[in-house]
Amino acid sequence: QVQLVESGGGLVQPGGSLRLSCAASGTVVSILDMGWYRQAPGAQRELVALITTGGTINYGDSVKGRFTISMDNAKNTVYLQMNSLKPEDTAVYYCRLRNLRTMNNYWGQGSRVTVSS
């Protein structure tokens, strides 16, 4: 079984920065990709950023140029550096890992990010 533990959420003022981390543990084999999704109140969960173990990266349109995703393959950890945060970035951010062999998805517990003055 795979466990994902997230850290780094919190309250920040508009224009500020936060860094989220997500560490995978347990039976972690053959990762295809890891990514971040978010869900605001009353909204559907949406893609924030995705990175494959080969280094291919995709960003949601609303975060391009402000957020940066990175992965430490040796530590099975993915990071999300969030800069120039806006109130509309307020959401619960979820880490996701996809297994290459089974295509199963594993989700973290969620980290709340609140952008407010």
Side-chain angles (χ1 to χ4, degrees):
Q1 193 58 279
V2 175
Q3 295 83 39
L4 300 176
V5 178
E6 303 175 24
S7 61
L11 172 64
V12 64
Q13 292 186 344
S17 298
L18 280 176
R19 189 190 195 211
L20 301 181
S21 299
C22 173
S25 62
T27 310
V28 182
V29 294
S30 302
I31 297 175
L32 173 61
D33 57 43
M34 295 185 73
W36 293 93
Y37 292 73
R38 68 185 182 187
Q39 188 166 18
Q44 291 186 336
R45 192 172 294 189
E46 64 174 356
L47 171 70
V48 176
L50 189 68
I51 183 169
T52 70
T53 51
T56 300
I57 293 174
N58 287 299
Y59 292 103
D61 288 341
S62 61
V63 306
K64 287 179 181 177
R66 299 188 297 121
F67 290 11
T68 302
I69 189 171
S70 60
M71 181 191 289
D72 186 332
N73 291 338
K75 296 181 179 180
N76 293 326
T77 299
V78 65
Y79 306 94
L80 185 69
Q81 178 67 42
M82 303 184 291
N83 298 329
S84 302
L85 282 161
K86 305 175 181 180
E88 51 264 43
D89 294 318
T90 296
V92 178
Y93 285 69
Y94 295 92
C95 172
R96 189 208 72 178
L97 178 153
R98 185 159 52 173
N99 184 287
L100 173 64
R101 295 179 182 176
T102 65
M103 300 303 287
N104 287 342
N105 289 314
Y106 300 90
W107 292 90
Q109 79 280 9
S111 294
R112 186 171 300 278
V113 172
T114 302
V115 184
S116 175
S117 55

